[in-house]
Amino acid sequence: MTPLWDTYLRPKTLAEALQAMLTAPKPLAPLAGGTDLLLDLQQGRHPPVRTLLDVTSVAEMTRLERRGDQLYIGAAVPVARLTRDPLVVAHARALTEACALIAGPQVRNVATLGGNVAHALPAADGTIALLALGAEAEVASLEGSRWVPLRELFLGPGRSALHPERELLVGFSLPLLEGNDASCFRRVMRPQGVALPILNCAVWLVRRGDEVDDIRIAIGPADAVPFRATQAEECLRGQPLTDTTVQQATQALLEQARFRTSPRRASADYRRHLVIFLFHDTLRIAWERATSPPS
Amino acid sequence: MTKQITLTVNGNVYTLEAVPGEMLAMLLRERLRLTGTKIGCGEAECGACTVIVDGEPVLSCIYPAERADGKTLLTIEGLSAPSASLDTLHPLQQAFLLYGAVQCGFCIPGQIMTAYALLQHNPDPTRDQIRAALKDTLCRCGGYPSIENAILAAAEALRTGRPVQPPALPASSRAGQVVGRFHLRPDGVEKVTGHAKYTDDLVFEGMLHAKVKRAMVPHAFLRRLDISRAKALPGVAAVLTAEDLPGEKTHGLVTYDWPILVGVGERIRYVGDAIAIVAAETPEIAAQACDRIEAEFDLQPVITDPVQARRPDAPQLHPNGNLLKHIKVRKGDVDQGFAEADVILEHVFHTQMTDHAFLEPECSIAVPLPNGRMEIYCGTQIPYQDRLQAARALGWPEERVRIVGQLMGGGFGGKEDIAGQIHAALLAHATGRPVKLLFDRRESLLVHPKRHPTQIRVKMGAKRDGRLVACETELYGDTGAYASLGEKVMTRATTHSAGPYEIPHVRSDCYAMYTNNPPAGAFRGFGVTQAAFAIESAMDMMAERLGIDPIEFRRINALRVGSVTNTGQVLRESVGLLECIDRVIQAMCQVSGLPRRELFKPRPVPEAPHLVRAWGFAAAYKNTGLGGGAPDKASADVELYEDGMLQVRSSSAEMGQGLVTVMRLIVAEELAVPPERVSVLVMDTDLAPNGGPTTASRQTFVTGNASRYAARALREAITATLAEKYDVWPEHLRFENGMVYVNDHALGLGEVAREMKAMGKLPRVRYEYEAPKTHPLGAGGDMHFAFSFAAQAAEVEVNTRTGEVRVLRVIAANDVGAVINPLGLQGQVEGGIMMGLGNALTEEFIVENGQVITDRLARYRVPGILLTPEIISIVVEHPVEAGPHGAKGIGEVSSIPTTPAIANAIYNAVGVRVDRLPIDQEEIVRRLKERAALSEQTLES
């Protein structure tokens, strides 16, 4: 058993961090909260590294602020802060709710949204919320920085499109609410067996009277990557929210989603059954929230 | 150039060299010796390692130490001055003590630090906010209600500046001056300050670190073993294999069938079998050396369950085959009974394997002494057994080994067998240096014996009027690779498998079978947990068939004074079952506002009709003491010192359950001194006599009695001495408030000690107590000298859409004979219910084809505070003549009825009969959907 790392770096700026990625001994892994990565390293699920690049002190990655009509959330902001920050509560309720369900309070004080997304699991709570909220991600390398839609970061279960030794996930940008839009996040746990959440769902929508003006629905795990129920969204966009349209959307969702059986967690059948209630509940709450403009 | 880190801990600034790979918990524990921060899992699951970094609680076991550079930390040691007494502790620490939130104490630093951070942000938290903050800070003693109440009381004290208000806890109806009244634990202050020492907190000069090379295959012959590369690694002090064993080759509690090390050509029976042991300068080197050991196996077919193990063609795992024991209970003529029955019901139930998941993983430190003896520091439920087994393995007489028992972070039956004691001793012997063998959570989960998974078939016959006439049970118990206490556990499962009822005709057969699963042994409830799930479920099923209220059905058949049990024992006293049942009914009606006939009907929540609530009920009984003809003894010493202090000593185990409080109170009562004047020493085979195993809910009874009679004998010796010296009648001496009054002259006890010594008398008494004689199963007569009884009702809420189950309330009535220690009793009741709830809803130790799936705490889910129901505890006191002040056991019976009460409540709510544990929400949904589909079909046709 060799040490989990030889070199531990704590850069203060993005430039320093990117420079360190070039020069530090490889293999290297960026470390945010570390609650997944360190355990993966300890338990042999992640190949050994020589350098851990602790990004939790990088100024650009720990900002949480309004930027024009966008809300910027640094990738290294602890999720505990996202559960109580007034800007996030007002504009990204689904994210607040998701973050409040990630692990326990002690873990949330170090865990970050960047880590949640970079881990690329198809049902990570924070990821599913961001997906519904229409987040874009800022990715930086020595060549420069670019903004990409969140879903482009995922290649498969646990496989991120980020290059672990050259690219850093810097932050996320979400559109601020405009008045008639709202969001909600819900999930179902199964305490037996291996004790993991078995299904989660986030909905963002814009309401115009009795009509759904726009909507995004994210569900995990419903595919190899975090899943957007785009066909269900189509069924509802521009439509009144009625039993019939919800029924059609549900049907579309069930047809598009690819639920799998996870041994000792949940069968595909159980997930197909649960998603109906979970989707309806989440949709209804988001809809009700959208009735009154945000204070 | 070495990198430096600077951090402020509890107000002190430290500049230290950065060590690659070091986590904050290790820095605090190993380099700063702040061992109040505990490591329970090392995988960010249990919360025991919680410390505060820059104002926020974090898990230090998974927090790189280098990240703490420049930060300000607070640990448990920083909350109060090192020499603080109860009055000068932080209000949180005081409140945890006063509310009985402290039991084994291992989780307490994490609980207090998490609560401290909460109160910093939120001085007036609600119960829900407390629960949210403590969500992932586990307490396996299960004292969540007490923890919650303690935090509320501390918050109030901090807000108002007033002292922490103690809880209102009723005294025993039979309370004495001291016994039966509210008193604090003798080991409490050190547990809330972080100064309490558990085995892993100790260091010895020149200490080596051990690791065990485990087979990790479930069934095989060891073909080849090469340790040369391990031995060659610098820093390795010794690598031992079976060839190096100096003494006996096996260990075990009843049957010596468990190889200390499996040798080449020998059989491996489960993944945890040890094939080599290593001692090295650091744990890392020891682990690296283990990785360098090469082993080859001839794999064999794996026996995965006890039914398969009994098939004639199954491979035979032990010289006597796969059958450890066929256990039989016979009463009356069961065929005649079924012929007389109006209704017969038969059903098969399955219970799962579960793990104790005590938060302190096993640790042993063996220290060789210059005089040729060996000391072994460890947490153990049976110190004298450890001594015997370690001595056998070393080939030594027993007296050459000393077990120095340390504070234990929980046991629950899981620290009765040998864990690392022998391996550490062998390595210490081989190297001549102290050796520490600490299990990490994974090794703990892989290696120690579990609760027996059991298949139980119940066949029950009753008359229309509700009288049970026959009960037949057949059990298959999976005792895993080695016997451990399997025979005893399954005997208890069998004798209790017809429930706490008087039934004229009973036949029970149990097959305790060896398999290639991890061994199964003692676990709180000792087989009765499994049996109770089956029989109490069947009782509800039968009541429904008969159209009788399930409680009335139990009342008709309940054991009472004069009843004959299924083993032929006539119950002559102390059968409080009917009172337990009746008190629970009363409480159920009272808290729910429902009339009795409505209790078990489903009640949809009006605003959310897919949520359906109902109550469920179960009864239980559990023997106190070993029984079955085993001599059940405990010895205690009581000594008076010249400073007026008393000490009571016995090598019984304190694992959090509160025995030390019981011993202290009993001795204080006998000698009429304030309890603070009595210190307690347990678990040291040189300093304290044998208290026997801490198992079978026996210690309050046997060591309680030994302490009492020793104290009484000391009092008599004092009386005789003073009567002689002062020439007065012994009756004229009066013991009161720490003094002895001779006529009008008052003597302090210190003075008495000096006078006794001056007269050549030792102010010290040893008493060996032997519990009333019992008889073996099958011999008739008293198989046990006492039984505890209990009834519980659980109110559940089932989500008919998702199948999710919440337990809202549990009402528990326990007949404990008499209460000695009310605060300790409260902890046993809360913890018992939480463990029963985990057994019902969350816990499953999963083994597939002999390989352990749940090898991390992340996968083995013990219930946290969010799952804690409202708990209403009712104490019933039907004293046992021979018990200390009338007391009998509580540790197990408090846990046994919870699982079936929950299962019965689920049936009452949604009509789904659960016959397999843990209760699976997906299965509930599947059954509800099947039923809905069926009723649709019926409507269509």
Side-chain angles (χ1 to χ4, degrees):
Chain A
M1 202 174 86
T2 47
L4 283 191
W5 64 85
D6 296 329
T7 306
Y8 192 93
L9 302 174
R10 278 175 78 199
K12 299 281 185 285
T13 67
L14 188 58
E16 269 178 54
L18 293 170
Q19 192 57 37
M21 289 184 113
L22 187 68
T23 54
K26 305 289 184 313
L28 168 150
L31 177 78
T35 49
D36 282 326
L37 177 62
L38 294 170
L39 290 175
D40 285 350
L41 282 167
Q42 266 179 0
Q43 299 174 11
R45 289 188 300 264
H46 190 288
V49 296
R50 289 190 61 198
T51 302
L52 283 180
L53 184 68
D54 181 337
V55 296
T56 56
S57 304
V58 172
E60 293 88 336
M61 297 174 72
T62 50
R63 290 198 182 116
L64 174 56
E65 63 200 10
R66 182 194 288 259
R67 289 185 183 172
D69 61 352
Q70 299 280 310
L71 170 63
Y72 178 84
I73 300 172
V77 174
V79 296
R81 204 174 145 199
L82 304 180
T83 64
R84 54 175 186 253
D85 184 275
L87 264 182
V88 185
V89 174
H91 292 281
R93 189 74 178 275
L95 186 62
T96 304
E97 289 169 335
C99 288
L101 291 170
I102 293 173
Q106 295 99 319
V107 167
R108 292 199 288 269
N109 282 329
V110 296
T112 69
L113 209 48
N116 197 273
V117 169
H119 213 212
L121 294 179
D125 294 318
T127 303
I128 290 297
L130 284 177
L131 200 57
L133 290 165
E136 297 209 331
E138 183 183 9
V139 177
S141 68
L142 277 176
E143 284 82 55
S145 136
R146 63 198 163 97
W147 284 94
V148 295
L150 190 74
R151 58 204 303 185
E152 288 180 15
L153 294 178
F154 311 112
L155 302 178
R159 284 175 51 229
S160 168
L162 293 167
H163 192 293
E165 293 188 335
R166 284 207 290 271
E167 291 180 318
L168 280 175
L169 188 52
V170 182
F172 306 95
S173 186
L174 317 172
L176 294 174
L177 295 194
E178 290 173 346
N180 290 346
D181 46 352
S183 66
C184 178
F185 174 92
R186 287 290 181 270
R187 78 175 189 199
V188 181
M189 287 286 292
R190 181 176 181 274
Q192 303 92 34
V194 292
L196 287 165
I198 50 182
L199 200 67
N200 58 17
C201 176
V203 171
W204 166 89
L205 54 79
V206 184
R207 180 169 176 177
R208 193 174 53 209
D210 286 335
E211 268 184 21
V212 178
D213 200 31
D214 196 5
I215 186 165
R216 282 187 294 267
I217 304 163
I219 290 168
D223 204 343
V225 293
F227 170 74
R228 269 278 297 280
T230 48
Q231 291 172 19
E233 293 170 5
E234 279 306 310
C235 292
L236 291 168
R237 199 169 285 125
Q239 299 293 321
L241 196 74
T242 64
D243 286 353
T244 316
T245 54
V246 171
Q247 192 55 43
Q248 284 163 353
T250 308
Q251 212 48 50
L253 189 160
L254 288 171
E255 277 164 29
Q256 190 188 359
R258 293 192 296 153
F259 291 111
R260 291 181 48 182
T261 293
S262 330
R264 300 177 290 271
R265 277 173 72 187
S267 70
D269 275 354
Y270 184 43
R271 285 189 166 123
R272 291 180 68 82
H273 166 86
L274 285 179
V275 77
I276 299 171
F277 304 109
L278 187 64
F279 169 53
H280 290 183
D281 282 354
T282 317
L283 177 65
R284 180 180 48 79
I285 297 167
W287 178 256
E288 284 164 8
R289 282 179 184 166
T291 48
S292 51
S295 49
Chain B
M1 188 190 80
T2 54
K3 192 165 148 193
Q4 305 267 304
I5 55 174
T6 299
L7 58 171
T8 306
V9 184
N10 303 333
N12 302 313
V13 180
Y14 299 90
T15 299
L16 303 161
E17 194 178 311
V19 175
E22 186 182 49
M23 296 298 178
L24 180 57
M26 296 308 282
L27 181 149
L28 293 170
R29 288 179 54 79
E30 302 298 328
R31 291 212 266 170
L32 304 185
R33 298 306 310 158
L34 294 170
T35 54
T37 298
K38 301 299 178 200
I39 298 180
C41 66
E43 43 165 315
E45 287 294 326
C46 76
C49 66
T50 302
V51 300
I52 296 176
V53 176
D54 285 347
E56 300 290 352
V58 301
L59 300 176
S60 60
C61 77
I62 202 73
Y63 190 98
E66 288 177 62
R67 175 173 283 173
D69 186 19
K71 297 188 171 163
T72 300
L73 282 71
L74 184 67
T75 72
I76 187 74
E77 291 91 347
L79 274 197
S80 52
S83 58
S85 63
L86 181 61
D87 300 334
T88 53
L89 293 173
H90 186 277
L92 268 169
Q93 295 170 317
Q94 289 173 346
F96 267 65
L97 279 176
L98 288 168
Y99 281 77
V102 181
Q103 297 185 58
C104 85
F106 198 78
C107 75
I108 293 302
Q111 304 283 359
I112 291 181
M113 296 318 287
T114 311
Y116 178 86
L118 168 70
L119 298 186
Q120 292 293 110
H121 292 296
N122 179 359
D124 191 8
T126 63
R127 286 185 182 271
D128 281 346
Q129 287 166 337
I130 292 172
R131 286 172 169 232
L134 267 60
K135 171 181 178 274
D136 278 358
T137 309
L138 299 176
C139 169
R140 189 56 160 165
C141 299
Y144 296 119
S146 300
I147 289 172
E148 203 175 297
N149 290 332
I151 295 171
L152 285 171
E156 194 194 328
L158 284 163
R159 282 195 314 274
T160 60
R162 288 200 297 269
V164 177
Q165 294 303 301
L169 197 64
S172 164
S173 64
R174 308 165 46 82
Q177 292 296 313
V178 177
V179 156
R181 298 187 185 279
F182 175 87
H183 292 286
L184 301 183
R185 296 182 66 97
D187 57 7
V189 172
E190 63 196 76
K191 285 180 174 174
V192 296
T193 56
H195 298 298
K197 295 283 180 239
Y198 299 77
T199 309
D200 184 37
D201 301 335
L202 305 176
V203 280
F204 290 86
E205 183 75 33
M207 189 170 80
L208 295 166
H209 297 267
K211 286 274 185 246
V212 182
K213 177 75 177 176
R214 303 205 178 266
M216 300 312 290
V217 295
H219 189 198
F221 288 95
L222 180 59
R223 188 199 305 153
R224 189 180 76 88
L225 185 63
D226 183 353
I227 57 170
S228 55
R229 288 186 60 236
K231 275 188 140 164
L233 189 68
V236 169
V239 183
L240 304 181
T241 68
E243 290 175 13
D244 306 308
L245 293 173
E248 297 290 336
K249 314 290 184 211
T250 54
H251 67 86
L253 284 169
V254 179
T255 312
Y256 293 107
D257 64 354
W258 194 333
I260 293 164
L261 286 163
V262 177
V264 172
E266 294 176 348
R267 191 189 294 270
I268 281 150
R269 298 183 181 85
Y270 89 114
V271 288
D273 267 334
I275 55 175
I277 47 178
V278 176
E281 298 296 335
T282 68
E284 291 76 22
I285 297 172
Q288 225 174 326
C290 271
D291 290 344
R292 288 168 155 237
I293 293 172
E294 293 165 21
E296 287 174 24
F297 305 99
D298 290 320
L299 298 180
Q300 300 296 308
V302 178
I303 302 181
T304 60
D305 75 75
V307 178
Q308 179 201 355
R310 193 158 170 251
R311 289 192 195 123
D313 59 338
Q316 302 296 298
L317 299 178
H318 286 272
N320 293 330
N322 293 341
L323 179 68
L324 171 63
K325 184 83 175 176
H326 176 191
I327 300 142
K328 300 174 197 172
V329 172
R330 302 285 183 266
K331 180 190 183 188
D333 177 346
V334 83
D335 297 326
Q336 183 199 325
F338 283 118
E340 290 170 8
D342 296 320
V343 179
I344 292 173
L345 170 149
E346 189 167 355
H347 201 92
V348 180
F349 299 87
H350 289 92
T351 68
Q352 79 281 39
M353 182 178 279
T354 58
D355 190 90
H356 313 75
F358 33 71
L359 283 183
E360 180 212 18
E362 298 89 332
C363 186
S364 299
I365 305 175
V367 182
L369 301 182
N371 63 10
R373 295 185 71 208
M374 181 78 70
E375 289 180 344
I376 302 175
Y377 296 75
C378 59
T380 168
Q381 290 183 237
I382 324 181
Y384 274 79
Q385 261 290 338
D386 284 9
R387 185 175 84 158
L388 169 69
Q389 297 197 53
R392 282 178 87 251
L394 290 161
W396 291 359
E398 271 188 73
E399 295 71 24
R400 221 175 129 183
V401 174
R402 174 185 177 191
I403 301 296
V404 193
Q406 301 301 302
L407 286 177
M408 289 165 77
F412 315 110
K415 289 177 180 169
E416 297 192 21
D417 296 82
I418 287 293
Q421 292 92 327
I422 290 177
H423 290 156
L426 292 172
L427 288 165
H429 181 52
T431 59
R433 290 169 63 180
V435 174
K436 177 187 277 190
L437 173 49
L438 169 68
F439 285 6
D440 64 12
R441 178 55 57 182
R442 181 160 183 260
E443 193 167 20
S444 174
L445 285 166
L446 284 173
V447 173
H448 73 243
K450 314 293 170 204
R451 177 178 279 148
H452 288 72
T454 309
Q455 172 184 306
I456 307 173
R457 180 177 61 81
V458 178
K459 185 178 172 189
M460 189 186 263
K463 305 290 276 184
R464 288 245 167 267
D465 62 9
R467 278 177 299 135
L468 281 167
V469 284
C471 184
E472 180 183 273
T473 58
E474 184 189 56
L475 298 86
Y476 278 86
D478 178 357
T479 206
Y482 300 106
S484 177
L485 286 165
E487 178 187 334
K488 308 284 179 200
V489 171
M490 292 323 291
T491 300
R492 222 62 76 232
T494 314
T495 59
H496 287 68
S497 65
Y501 308 107
E502 183 166 21
I503 308 173
H505 307 289
V506 179
R507 179 167 65 205
S508 299
D509 288 275
C510 173
Y511 306 95
M513 304 302 301
Y514 287 114
T515 67
N516 293 118
N517 292 328
F523 190 157
R524 191 182 207 169
F526 213 77
V528 185
T529 310
Q530 295 94 311
F533 168 64
I535 192 70
E536 288 300 303
S537 299
M539 287 297 285
D540 261 34
M541 294 163 78
M542 181 58 107
E544 188 182 27
R545 292 268 195 98
L546 293 167
I548 299 177
D549 171 77
I551 296 188
E552 200 44 46
F553 181 45
R554 286 179 175 84
R555 291 188 89 264
I556 293 168
N557 296 289
L559 291 172
R560 56 202 83 201
V561 171
S563 294
V564 182
T565 68
N566 52 357
T567 66
Q569 175 167 357
V570 181
L571 299 176
R572 292 180 300 273
E573 57 160 1
S574 186
V575 188
L577 179 57
L578 281 172
E579 187 182 339
C580 287
I581 292 174
D582 292 342
R583 299 273 301 272
V584 169
I585 300 172
Q586 269 177 19
M588 248 191 301
C589 294
Q590 201 184 345
V591 302
S592 66
L594 293 169
R596 186 177 158 179
R597 62 177 187 285
E598 298 291 323
L599 290 170
F600 300 128
K601 294 193 176 152
R603 285 173 290 124
V605 174
E607 58 276 19
H610 64 285
L611 304 176
V612 184
R613 296 178 177 181
W615 288 92
F617 185 87
Y621 74 138
K622 174 71 183 60
N623 58 291
T624 295
L626 304 175
D632 204 344
K633 297 179 191 172
S635 296
D637 288 348
V638 176
E639 182 163 3
L640 175 63
Y641 296 96
E642 292 182 24
D643 60 0
M645 290 290 289
L646 287 145
Q647 187 175 58
V648 54
R649 296 185 288 267
S650 175
S651 278
S652 308
E654 171 56 47
M655 49 185 166
Q657 86 279 33
L659 176 67
V660 289
T661 323
V662 166
M663 291 166 72
R664 167 190 261 191
L665 300 188
I666 284 175
V667 169
E669 181 81 35
E670 288 303 320
L671 290 155
V673 301
E676 295 71 30
R677 293 266 292 273
V678 182
S679 69
V680 185
L681 191 152
V682 286
M683 303 185 282
D684 187 318
T685 58
D686 270 19
L687 303 182
N690 195 350
T694 298
T695 189
S697 306
R698 68 187 279 280
Q699 288 295 14
T700 292
F701 197 104
V702 289
T703 298
N705 264 332
S707 305
R708 184 182 190 206
Y709 289 119
R712 191 172 284 177
L714 178 62
R715 180 178 167 136
E716 280 161 10
I718 294 170
T719 304
T721 309
L722 297 183
E724 188 187 333
K725 179 174 162 100
Y726 293 99
D727 196 22
V728 294
W729 292 105
E731 304 87 84
H732 291 168
L733 289 171
R734 198 156 46 84
F735 286 72
E736 206 176 292
N737 200 24
M739 307 290 282
V740 187
Y741 292 86
V742 186
N743 296 326
D744 289 332
H745 178 56
L747 283 99
L749 281 179
E751 206 179 332
V752 170
R754 286 191 292 277
E755 294 213 1
M756 286 181 80
K757 283 185 181 167
M759 293 174 72
K761 293 179 184 174
L762 214 54
R764 183 172 79 202
V765 172
R766 171 165 298 181
Y767 191 92
E768 183 184 75
Y769 171 75
E770 181 160 4
K773 194 170 162 46
T774 59
H775 300 283
L777 174 61
D782 289 356
M783 188 172 165
H784 294 288
F785 54 75
F787 291 97
S788 296
F789 296 88
Q792 285 188 18
E795 187 187 24
V796 303
E797 179 181 284
V798 183
N799 184 329
T800 55
R801 293 173 176 171
T802 62
E804 288 166 293
V805 176
R806 278 175 64 208
V807 181
L808 306 173
R809 285 187 280 212
V810 174
I811 300 166
N814 291 287
D815 169 21
V816 299
V819 184
I820 304 279
N821 169 19
L823 202 55
L825 173 63
Q826 171 190 295
Q828 288 296 301
V829 173
E830 289 174 355
I833 290 169
M834 287 313 292
M835 213 166 245
L837 186 147
N839 186 54
L841 294 180
T842 70
E843 296 181 35
E844 183 174 19
F845 193 86
I846 304 172
V847 184
E848 285 179 2
N849 207 27
Q851 293 290 348
V852 175
I853 305 295
T854 43
D855 62 346
R856 310 273 179 193
L857 213 54
R859 295 183 202 143
Y860 186 82
R861 190 47 59 110
V862 306
I865 196 167
L866 287 184
L867 295 184
T868 306
E870 181 190 347
I871 290 174
I872 298 153
S873 171
I874 298 162
V875 179
V876 171
E877 297 180 289
H878 287 227
V880 187
E881 175 77 33
H885 300 273
K888 51 190 179 183
I890 176 62
E892 298 172 283
V893 82
S894 61
S895 193
I896 292 167
T898 313
T899 301
I902 291 170
N904 287 337
I906 290 170
Y907 182 81
N908 292 337
V910 296
V912 173
R913 171 57 60 193
V914 174
D915 53 20
R916 189 178 283 272
L917 295 175
I919 296 162
D920 181 351
Q921 66 192 46
E922 181 171 344
E923 172 73 6
I924 291 176
V925 167
R926 200 177 57 75
R927 300 262 293 275
L928 287 173
K929 282 175 82 174
E930 273 172 15
R931 204 174 55 196
L934 206 64
S935 65
E936 252 172 55
Q937 271 176 14
T938 321
L939 283 175
E940 280 164 14
S941 59

